[in-house]
Amino acid sequence: MELKLLNEQGQAAETVQVSDVLFGREYNEALIHQVVVAYQANARSGNRAQKGRSEIAKSTRKPWRQKGTGRARAGMASSPLWRGGGRIFPNSPDENFSHKVNRKMYRAGLASILSQLAREGRISVVEDFALDAPKTRLVAEKLKGMGFVDSVLVITDELSENLFLASRNLRDVLVLEVSEADPVSLVRFPQVVVTKGALAKMQEVWQ
């Protein structure tokens, strides 16, 4: 399997040989869906909370007598059937949303995503992605010079301070290290740029 190595002008100067295990895997939609859903579920903080009928600050007195009024019987104003009453099955802050995904499945899902990106021509390799100064304009010009006008995900082997400061104000650009790359970002961005150092780390860690 080969990927294009782009120069500063966005032209394919040469090709880079990559592992078929990581970039030549068949597309597995069910596995990718499971990995993406699990990643998003595990990122949930679980800080939502609702009140049950025992936690509502209302009187427990019976609103009216049981019979003879012509109205439906009622026991207390905190009933879930009433406006302002407690929830029947309230959400609790300690609710666990996590999904378990085996390490082999997670790596296979990442490999399936990368393989599909390579087949669609949405992943490119660059020699390096360094900046001389923390200027947002430099990142924008660099990406535009390479021909990337849409949203771009840049994966580097080491995120320098200049690159971090310069890229954080660009809404459609996300720069990550290899260890921080996740399946959601790989799926979300239409174009992915990987440095040669990051590519070597990927093939070493993700296989």
Side-chain angles (χ1 to χ4, degrees):
M1 186 71 184
E2 293 181 343
L3 295 178
K4 296 179 180 179
L5 179 65
L6 303 182
N7 56 18
E8 293 289 334
Q9 290 73 37
Q11 301 172 348
E14 55 181 297
T15 58
V16 179
Q17 193 72 26
V18 294
S19 171
D20 290 336
V21 177
L22 197 59
F23 292 91
R25 185 181 290 267
E26 294 183 0
Y27 181 66
N28 191 336
E29 183 177 357
L31 178 59
I32 293 175
H33 179 268
Q34 183 177 353
V35 169
V36 169
V37 169
Y39 184 86
Q40 291 177 322
N42 294 338
R44 295 184 66 171
S45 59
N47 56 0
R48 62 179 187 173
Q50 295 172 322
K51 291 183 179 182
R53 64 184 304 170
S54 63
E55 301 167 314
I56 293 294
K58 288 183 180 294
S59 173
T60 58
R61 185 180 67 86
K62 191 174 178 65
W64 52 77
R65 67 179 189 268
Q66 181 80 350
K67 305 174 77 65
T69 62
R71 289 179 289 185
R73 54 193 173 186
M76 59 181 64
S78 61
S79 169
L81 305 180
W82 282 34
R83 178 183 177 89
R87 294 295 297 265
I88 297 178
F89 298 109
N91 297 316
S92 60
D94 55 349
E95 187 172 352
N96 185 12
F97 299 100
S98 64
H99 291 196
K100 184 178 183 300
V101 177
N102 296 333
R103 184 179 300 177
K104 285 186 178 181
M105 292 177 60
Y106 186 78
R107 290 180 177 177
L110 290 176
S112 184
I113 295 173
L114 292 174
S115 301
Q116 187 65 17
L117 291 176
R119 279 190 290 269
E120 296 177 356
R122 293 167 50 195
I123 185 168
S124 306
V125 184
V126 294
E127 191 70 36
D128 194 11
F129 208 91
L131 296 177
D132 297 330
K135 299 289 184 180
T136 303
R137 175 176 51 84
L138 297 179
V139 180
E141 291 177 351
K142 192 179 187 72
L143 292 172
K144 187 176 180 180
M146 292 181 179
F148 299 110
V149 293
D150 296 326
S151 301
V152 183
L153 171 64
V154 181
I155 302 178
T156 64
D157 52 336
E158 185 177 353
L159 182 58
S160 64
E161 185 177 1
N162 285 349
L163 183 57
F164 169 72
L165 295 175
S167 62
R168 62 182 179 175
N169 283 337
L170 294 174
R171 184 182 60 181
D172 297 329
V173 177
L174 178 62
V175 182
L176 298 174
E177 292 185 356
V178 176
S179 59
E180 298 174 344
D182 59 89
V184 175
S185 298
L186 290 173
V187 170
R188 181 166 66 94
F189 285 89
Q191 293 292 333
V192 180
V193 178
V194 185
T195 64
K196 287 188 71 174
L199 184 63
K201 279 189 178 181
M202 280 184 183
Q203 298 182 95
E204 178 183 352
V205 177
W206 289 4
Q207 290 193 68

